[in-house]
Amino acid sequence: MQKLGVVEDTLFVPMLGRIYASEHCPQILYDKKALELKKKLPSDLIEQNKQNQYTLLASASRSANMDRFIQSFLERRPNGVIVQLGCGLETTYYRCDNRRTHWYAVDLPHVIDYRRELLPELERETYLAGDAFSEDWIRQVRTEFPDAPILVTAGGLFHYFEEHKVISLLRMIGQFGNMEVVFDTVNKRGMTMMKKKYMKQVGHADAQMFFYVDSAEELAAKIRGNVKVIAEEPYYRYIPKNGLKLSTKVSMAVSDQFKMVKMICLKT
């Protein structure tokens, strides 16, 4: 496997979270495919994993939240298209596919190569190697599905990029019409906590982070155009808390109370 960069290497963090949840907290997320892949991951990842329950479930909660938005979209738009930006080793297709929609997974070339080793493309699934912030992927999707409603997901991606770059991407997406975008983000206080504590706990203190959102409406105004906020909700609102450690429950409650981490969905 080619050596990954600092940001790309974080693709293992959500996988470890999904494995942990599947083994210990299936009420939050059960991912059969992640469990199957456990033995294929680098052995030192499992052996040296020093995360606590909260950080592991933070990753699993992102997947659970994304699943909820995807499933809701496909209920409304069963013939819609799903595009996952910064897909890494996500296994969403295996959890949410409705046997009708088409899926695209976008990431950097060496990440796609590694993904293809572990997760070969399936029926109605296309891997696109390239920059999530370029127009190449959306032009290809719109060429193949010119009129289809599209849901773009960006899980754990935007944190690592400056605001102007994220806004440019969201403006670009808006130019292609009939699109929804869902992503996780933090507010300013949440960004401070991620830099000081969370990224160290997951073993990536050297990953630089920039983007945060205090208000989805303010973000929509910066994007301009006909952008509508569909959802802005606390990250753990719909995450079951039964059976969790008290420290994990407290951390989730504090995060939600101060809106430190949130899910945002926009219609462009």
Side-chain angles (χ1 to χ4, degrees):
M1 171 188 161
Q2 182 177 347
K3 183 174 175 58
L4 300 170
V6 171
V7 173
E8 296 96 317
D9 193 42
T10 61
L11 64 88
F12 293 113
V13 174
M15 174 64 77
L16 293 175
R18 296 200 305 278
I19 290 171
Y20 177 86
S22 300
E23 292 178 335
H24 303 283
C25 306
Q27 72 277 18
I28 293 177
L29 184 81
Y30 182 77
D31 190 332
K32 180 180 177 182
K33 195 64 180 179
L35 292 174
E36 292 175 2
L37 291 176
K38 181 178 179 179
K39 60 182 179 294
K40 297 183 180 180
L41 299 179
S43 58
D44 60 327
L45 278 176
I46 307 297
E47 296 167 1
Q48 298 176 18
N49 182 25
K50 304 298 184 183
Q51 295 187 62
N52 58 32
Q53 186 186 67
Y54 175 72
T55 58
L56 286 162
L57 292 183
S59 296
S61 295
R62 177 194 298 133
S63 295
N65 282 327
M66 285 294 182
D67 286 2
R68 182 166 46 82
F69 278 97
I70 290 171
Q71 289 162 4
S72 174
F73 175 80
L74 292 179
E75 286 175 5
R76 293 180 285 116
R77 308 281 197 168
N79 293 312
V81 173
I82 307 296
V83 180
Q84 299 178 88
L85 299 183
C87 60
L89 296 177
E90 265 300 338
T91 45
T92 321
Y93 176 103
Y94 298 87
R95 300 190 304 271
C96 299
D97 181 52
N98 65 356
R99 301 183 181 181
R100 295 175 64 178
T101 193
H102 197 97
W103 296 71
Y104 290 87
V106 182
D107 216 317
L108 297 173
H110 52 290
V111 176
I112 289 293
D113 288 343
Y114 183 52
R115 176 182 176 87
R116 194 170 270 124
E117 290 179 23
L118 297 179
L119 297 162
E121 285 155 289
L122 299 174
E123 182 183 8
R124 294 173 289 99
E125 187 178 33
T126 301
Y127 292 173
L128 299 178
D131 183 357
F133 291 83
S134 77
E135 292 189 6
D136 296 344
W137 63 267
I138 185 58
R139 289 192 180 280
Q140 179 169 338
V141 174
R142 268 291 174 237
T143 297
E144 296 174 4
F145 295 93
D147 302 314
I150 297 173
L151 175 65
V152 178
T153 71
L157 177 65
F158 290 163
H159 310 298
Y160 305 105
F161 298 91
E162 294 179 345
E163 182 182 72
H164 71 87
K165 192 162 186 178
V166 176
I167 288 176
S168 294
L169 171 63
L170 295 172
R171 285 177 181 165
M172 179 194 77
I173 290 173
Q175 294 172 2
F176 287 84
N178 204 10
M179 310 269 286
E180 295 178 26
V181 184
V182 60
F183 58 94
D184 60 303
T185 187
V186 295
N187 63 12
K188 189 173 184 179
R189 180 180 292 188
M191 176 61 75
T192 299
M193 289 299 295
M194 287 190 75
K195 287 180 176 179
K196 286 185 176 180
K197 191 173 181 180
Y198 177 80
M199 294 307 289
K200 291 180 181 179
Q201 290 176 335
V202 299
H204 291 285
D206 50 350
Q208 290 187 296
M209 307 180 77
F210 305 97
F211 181 72
Y212 64 87
V213 178
D214 283 331
S215 164
E217 291 291 351
E218 291 178 4
L219 174 64
K222 291 177 181 179
I223 299 168
R224 300 193 296 268
N226 188 25
V227 179
K228 178 182 178 182
V229 178
I230 296 176
E232 179 180 18
E233 60 188 40
Y235 195 70
Y236 299 105
R237 173 178 287 173
Y238 299 106
I239 301 301
K241 315 298 192 302
N242 55 300
L244 305 186
K245 294 179 180 178
L246 178 59
S247 59
T248 300
K249 293 180 181 179
V250 170
S251 294
M252 289 180 171
V254 170
S255 176
D256 278 2
Q257 180 179 355
F258 294 101
K259 300 180 176 64
M260 294 169 69
V261 192
K262 62 181 93 176
M263 299 296 300
I264 292 178
C265 187
L266 304 176
K267 170 74 174 177
T268 64

